[in-house]
């Protein structure tokens, strides 16, 4: 590991042109390997990211391990007070955080602010640590015997987070892990690390002891080091399904607890009785918001009957005429660019393949004209009709501003094709029929379900996670499952025998008759 080049008193993240690591409270630059960070709105590189070496990652683990004993023994109320202060600093620095998100992700300010607010809500939930970590107590489970359980931290844990939510998804992980008494190593996306590193600095400003949160920026070298080091006890991940499966299998092979959230292909069923104007308004935001780069984005509308299908396509076409794609710096834009040039080409290739396979491109978002930002990574809102389940564009997760329409004859047929897909992250139904909605929510094989709600993302005091190949692991992210994931239960049974009584040796299993 290289020498320390600066600390937070010398420079803030907004002033850096090379983004490094935050280890034991100090900014570190390896200097061995780096790669550019692009502004997707302009297509130009404005910063570089230092890619951590194995030695640097190991130094972060050592720092977290050294900080663990004292932090583990810190009272939960004191841990919570740090989170209360952290929440305050996030709110005070909201504009700066959203600017960093926009510069490196391309997200429009109103969308970035929504992401930040969702992250803050998870911090608020973590502020309840004294209540969340209370154990269970039973008195007199046997003669003068009491039994109780308590929730103890795991130790050093890590989170590997995606580019599409550089603030919200880290806040799904480290606030809860830390208030539970763990120390944390965060590996954000190398595409847009600045906002993540900035909020980590804010947590230090809130009073978090050095070493409790370390941030590593890197690539597969950093990830593999975290997955194989015996000192790391648990791994949280959000990203694509192939990588989620790799993370989960590698972590499990190395004896670690793991939750790995993968990809999605989220369907909305449009019933014949749906309020079509409301459905269209909801679908526009759910399909194209954040350029479709959300694991909960609605990418397939399943119209039940041609009448519903024709009306949906007609109204969607009209609604999409006013969509504005452009740079993050203009709040009048509806959504910005996709993350990289390579991803722009990938999304366009899926549209090409749908057209080649016989689908109808109703609204074509390929190569939109964004005056003054011709080199940006833009894809406009795209609507594709007459899609079938054998098409590549249907099977794969596109992760772009593309909505595909499939037509079926019955609700049962719509549910069957949703259940048949390998992903089971989110889904919804638009209907006025309560019986149909209840049947749908009871029987659909998907983890998160909306009824006339297109993005059924659970609030912070519930938990987030899909089914099938959208989640590897037993516990969902944040909320009550977050507490369970970042702690281990210990049960203690205790008796203090009276000195006036003689204890008899017993060889049978103790029972209470």
């Amino acid at each position: 590991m290289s020498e320390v080049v600066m600390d937070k008193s010398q420079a803030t993240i907004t002033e850096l042109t090379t983004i490094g690591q935050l280890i034991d409270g100090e900014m570190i630059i390896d200097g061995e390997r780096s790669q550019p960070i692009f502004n997707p709105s302009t297509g130009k590189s404005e910063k570089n990211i230092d890619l951590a070496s194995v030695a640097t990652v190991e130094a972060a683990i050592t720092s977290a391990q050294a900080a663990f004993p004292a932090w583990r023994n810190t009272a939960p109320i004191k841990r919570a007070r740090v989170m209360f202060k952290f929440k305050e600093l996030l709110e005070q620095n909201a504009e700066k955080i959203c600017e960093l998100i926009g510069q490196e992700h391309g997200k429009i300010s109103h969308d970035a602010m929504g992401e930040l607010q969702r992250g803050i809500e998870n911090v608020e939930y973590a502020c309840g640590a004294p209540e969340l970590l209370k154990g269970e107590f039973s008195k007199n489970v046997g003669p003068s015997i009491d039994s109780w359980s308590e929730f103890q931290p795991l130790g050093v844990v890590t989170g590997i987070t995606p580019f599409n939510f550089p603030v919200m998804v880290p806040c799904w992980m480290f606030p809860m892990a830390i208030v539970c008494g763990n120390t944390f190593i965060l590996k954000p996306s190398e595409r847009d690390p600045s906002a993540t590193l900035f909020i980590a600095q804010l947590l230090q400003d809130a009073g978090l002891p050095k070493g409790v949160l370390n941030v590593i920026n890197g690539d597969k070298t950093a990830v593999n080091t975290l997955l194989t080091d015996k000192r790391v006890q648990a791994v949280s991940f959000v990203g694509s399904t192939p990588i989620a499966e790799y993370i989960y299998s590698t972590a499990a092979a190395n004896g670690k607890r793991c939750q790995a959230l993968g990809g999605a292909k989220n369907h909305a069923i449009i019933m014949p009785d749906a309020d079509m104007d409301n459905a269209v308004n909801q679908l526009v935001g759910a399909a194209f918001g954040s350029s479709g780069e959300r694991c909960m984005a609605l990418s397939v509308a399943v119209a039940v009957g041609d009448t519903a299908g024709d009306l949906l396509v007609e109204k969607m076409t009209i609604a999409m005429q006013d969509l504005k794609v452009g740079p993050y710096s203009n709040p009048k834009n509806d959504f910005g660019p996709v993350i990289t040039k390579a991803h722009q080409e990938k999304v366009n290739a899926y549209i090409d393949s749908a057209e080649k396979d016989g689908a109808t491109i109703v609204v074509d978002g390929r190569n939109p004209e964004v005056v003054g930002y011709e080199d940006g990574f833009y894809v406009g809102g795209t609507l594709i009709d007459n899609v079938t389940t054998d098409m590549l564009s249907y099977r794969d997760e596109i992760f772009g501003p593309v909505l595909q329409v499939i037509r079926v004859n019955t609700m049962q047929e719509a549910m069957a094709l949703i259940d048949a897909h390998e992903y089971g992250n989110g889904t919804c139904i638009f209907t006025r029929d309560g019986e149909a909605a209840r049947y749908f929510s009871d029987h659909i094989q998907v983890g998160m379900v909306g009824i006339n709600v297109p993005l059924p993302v659970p609030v912070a005091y519930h938990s987030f996670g899909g089914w099938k190949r959208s989640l590897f692991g037993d516990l969902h992210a944040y909320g009550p499952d977050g507490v369970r994931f970042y702690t281990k239960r210990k049960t203690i049974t205790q008796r203090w025998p009276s000195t006036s009584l003689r204890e008899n040796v017993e060889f049978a299993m103790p029972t209470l008759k």
Side-chain angles (χ1 to χ4, degrees):
M1 187 180 71
S2 66
E3 296 295 321
V4 175
V5 295
M6 64 184 67
D7 62 30
K8 65 179 181 178
S9 65
Q10 295 171 304
T12 67
I13 191 67
T14 57
E15 298 169 325
L16 298 178
T17 56
T18 298
I19 306 302
Q21 336 296 331
L22 181 65
I23 300 177
D24 211 34
E26 298 174 320
M27 291 294 298
I28 305 293
I29 300 293
D30 251 352
E32 296 180 9
R33 297 181 303 131
S34 65
Q35 68 182 40
I37 299 171
F38 287 90
N39 180 335
S41 292
T42 64
K44 294 178 172 56
S45 172
E46 299 176 354
K47 300 177 185 176
N48 289 310
I49 184 169
D50 183 62
L51 301 176
S53 64
V54 171
T56 297
V57 180
E58 290 176 343
I61 298 171
T62 298
S63 172
Q65 186 181 42
F68 175 62
W71 186 246
R72 177 190 193 276
N73 291 321
T74 299
I77 187 64
K78 291 186 176 181
R79 299 181 207 144
R81 286 171 185 159
V82 173
M83 287 300 156
F84 276 112
K85 181 62 176 177
F86 179 47
K87 171 185 178 291
E88 181 182 350
L89 291 175
L90 290 173
E91 293 170 339
Q92 291 174 357
N93 290 273
E95 186 174 338
K96 187 180 296 183
I97 294 168
C98 291
E99 177 73 11
L100 289 170
I101 294 173
Q103 288 173 356
E104 296 177 1
H105 177 277
K107 195 171 290 187
I108 310 300
S109 58
H110 49 74
D111 194 12
M113 191 63 72
E115 171 185 347
L116 175 58
Q117 181 56 38
R118 277 287 187 150
I120 289 173
E121 289 168 6
N122 281 274
V123 177
E124 290 173 332
Y125 185 71
C127 289
E131 176 68 23
L132 299 172
L133 294 174
K134 285 196 309 186
E136 302 162 342
F137 186 90
S138 296
K139 187 176 179 64
N140 287 330
V141 298
S144 300
I145 298 174
D146 301 330
S147 183
W148 70 92
S149 63
E150 55 190 48
F151 302 98
Q152 297 188 351
L154 305 177
V156 179
V157 299
T158 189
I160 302 166
T161 57
F163 74 83
N164 58 327
F165 289 102
V167 169
M168 184 186 74
V169 173
C171 285
W172 286 3
M173 300 177 185
F174 71 77
M176 182 54 66
I178 287 171
V179 297
C180 287
N182 303 284
T183 54
F184 201 91
I185 299 169
L186 177 61
K187 209 301 286 184
S189 170
E190 62 274 24
R191 307 284 187 199
D192 50 0
S194 294
T196 313
L197 194 55
F198 182 69
I199 66 171
Q201 288 181 318
L202 291 181
L203 185 52
Q204 287 197 151
D205 294 342
L208 190 74
K210 292 182 178 181
V212 176
L213 175 63
N214 299 279
V215 182
I216 290 296
N217 286 305
D219 52 12
K220 193 175 181 180
T221 296
V223 170
N224 284 341
T225 305
L226 293 170
L227 292 178
T228 57
D229 194 295
K230 293 181 179 179
R231 295 170 293 178
V232 176
Q233 303 300 310
V235 180
S236 297
F237 172 82
V238 176
S240 68
T241 285
I243 305 301
E245 190 166 27
Y246 170 79
I247 295 286
Y248 183 78
S249 60
T250 306
N254 285 276
K256 304 182 192 311
R257 181 179 292 186
C258 185
Q259 55 179 188
L261 283 71
K265 196 74 175 182
N266 304 318
H267 301 69
I269 295 180
I270 314 298
M271 295 293 287
D273 69 334
D275 180 336
M276 194 62 72
D277 289 330
N278 175 64
V280 166
N281 287 337
Q282 298 296 319
L283 284 172
V284 168
F288 308 124
S290 199
S291 300
E293 292 176 322
R294 296 169 174 161
C295 66
M296 288 296 284
L298 271 174
S299 56
V300 181
V302 186
V304 178
D306 280 335
T307 300
D310 291 343
L311 188 58
L312 172 67
V313 171
E314 176 188 343
K315 288 182 175 291
M316 281 293 301
T317 303
I318 295 170
M320 292 174 64
Q321 290 176 353
D322 297 326
L323 283 180
K324 296 181 178 64
V325 58
Y328 80 93
S329 53
N330 184 352
K332 293 182 180 179
N333 290 324
D334 296 304
F335 58 93
V338 295
I339 189 67
T340 63
K341 180 69 173 177
H343 191 58
Q344 177 193 40
E345 293 171 350
K346 182 179 179 180
V347 174
N348 284 336
Y350 277 119
I351 302 171
D352 293 343
S353 73
E355 187 172 38
K356 182 179 178 181
D357 289 341
T360 305
I361 311 299
V362 180
V363 180
D364 193 341
R366 290 170 290 190
N367 305 311
E369 181 181 0
V370 182
V371 177
Y373 295 87
E374 287 78 9
D375 294 329
F377 311 140
Y378 296 100
V379 180
T382 299
L383 179 64
I384 306 177
D385 195 8
N386 301 310
V387 173
T388 57
T389 58
D390 60 334
M391 295 180 181
L392 180 67
S393 63
Y394 172 76
R395 298 196 307 270
D396 288 1
E397 181 181 32
I398 296 177
F399 222 58
V402 180
L403 178 64
Q404 299 182 91
V405 178
I406 289 182
R407 296 163 181 252
V408 297
N409 294 318
T410 66
M411 176 179 164
Q412 287 73 21
E413 187 180 348
M415 291 178 63
L417 71 86
I418 294 172
D419 289 344
H421 203 282
E422 65 172 323
Y423 298 131
N425 206 48
T427 189
C428 75
I429 186 170
F430 287 95
T431 182
R432 290 185 173 95
D433 187 334
E435 182 182 6
R438 184 179 178 86
Y439 182 86
F440 175 75
S441 62
D442 281 351
H443 293 90
I444 200 70
Q445 298 300 299
V446 176
M448 292 172 283
V449 179
I451 309 298
N452 299 314
V453 175
L455 293 173
V457 180
V459 293
Y461 41 90
H462 287 270
S463 294
F464 180 105
W467 288 9
K468 297 182 284 189
R469 288 177 57 78
S470 292
L471 174 68
F472 298 87
D474 295 327
L475 293 172
H476 290 193
Y478 68 77
D481 272 15
V483 180
R484 297 183 184 99
F485 182 78
Y486 291 119
T487 60
K488 51 190 174 184
R489 181 189 294 265
K490 178 179 286 185
T491 303
I492 300 99
T493 304
Q494 172 179 280
R495 177 171 63 181
W496 296 100
S498 171
T499 55
S500 63
L501 297 176
R502 182 183 296 274
E503 294 293 321
N504 296 318
V505 176
E506 294 185 4
F507 295 95
M509 176 66 69
T511 61
L512 183 62
K513 296 182 179 179

